[in-house]
Amino acid sequence: MYVHLDGQPSEKLPLLLAAFQHRFGRDAEAMARHFVDGVAVGWDELGTDLLDGAPPELISALTGGQQWPSSTLDDLVTPDGSPPVRMTVTEQTAADQDVQWGYVLRPHGIEVIPVPHAEAGPVIVWATDPRTGFSDHPGHWPSPARTPVGPSAARAARPPRSAPAAATAESRPAARR
């Protein structure tokens, strides 16, 4: 499904991993139903409501204490007045939808695809700690790596970050826009 504020891996992966581990009880099917079946057109933004059930210290580490709701694209107006169509992202439509990053929920983890640079990407296993620092550089997400990448392999594949994985209050709005 299309997410207007699709976000960089350093922002979206921690949120998705924590949502899987806590809100969705490690049930990838339930998570997929929420993201795909739970929206009529598409998502405007994924919010901290996805962290329901996560420990407070994890929420604080990922959000800096900020909270914002997920929101959908239910109020779109088309140029001709017709109802908006469902914004499903596929390999054929990603470029037209100006998608920069793709996150594909797989049974064993999340495939991360830097859309303008690759058609596939590595899979980050569901057990990865959401506080892991993830790179936002497309070159650090090579394709066609189809085998799961574990927490230690994910860190080894990318250079260490000098800043914490969670965005600070000052940098968070800029990263979301």
Side-chain angles (χ1 to χ4, degrees):
M1 289 306 307
Y2 175 81
V3 179
H4 180 67
L5 298 171
D6 57 355
Q8 308 244 339
S10 64
E11 181 184 338
K12 289 300 183 244
L13 276 175
L15 184 66
L16 293 170
L17 289 166
F20 171 80
Q21 294 169 7
H22 299 284
R23 177 173 177 178
F24 297 103
R26 299 185 179 276
D27 184 342
E29 287 294 321
M31 188 172 174
R33 280 192 304 275
H34 174 79
F35 286 119
V36 177
D37 301 336
V39 63
V41 176
W43 293 95
D44 184 38
E45 174 175 26
L46 303 180
T48 57
D49 54 306
L50 294 175
L51 301 176
D52 290 352
E57 60 274 4
L58 178 60
I59 295 171
S60 180
L62 297 182
T63 69
Q66 294 186 15
Q67 293 185 352
W68 65 97
S70 294
S71 57
T72 60
L73 293 169
D74 294 333
D75 56 356
L76 291 179
V77 177
T78 61
D80 65 1
S82 63
V85 296
R86 190 165 168 85
M87 299 175 76
T88 306
V89 179
T90 67
E91 292 156 340
Q92 292 77 30
T93 64
D96 292 338
Q97 292 173 322
D98 195 30
V99 174
Q100 299 300 306
W101 291 92
Y103 303 94
V104 181
L105 307 181
R106 304 275 185 211
H108 51 283
I110 304 170
E111 182 178 3
V112 180
I113 305 170
V115 175
H117 306 281
E119 293 179 3
V123 175
I124 303 300
V125 295
W126 288 120
T128 302
D129 186 332
R131 292 166 289 212
T132 300
F134 296 103
S135 173
D136 292 335
H137 190 283
H140 294 150
W141 300 94
S143 69
R146 289 282 186 185
T147 53
V149 176
S152 60
R155 282 188 293 274
R158 291 174 291 288
R161 295 174 44 117
S162 57
T168 65
E170 295 79 30
S171 67
R172 191 190 159 290
R176 291 178 42 221
R177 297 197 195 275

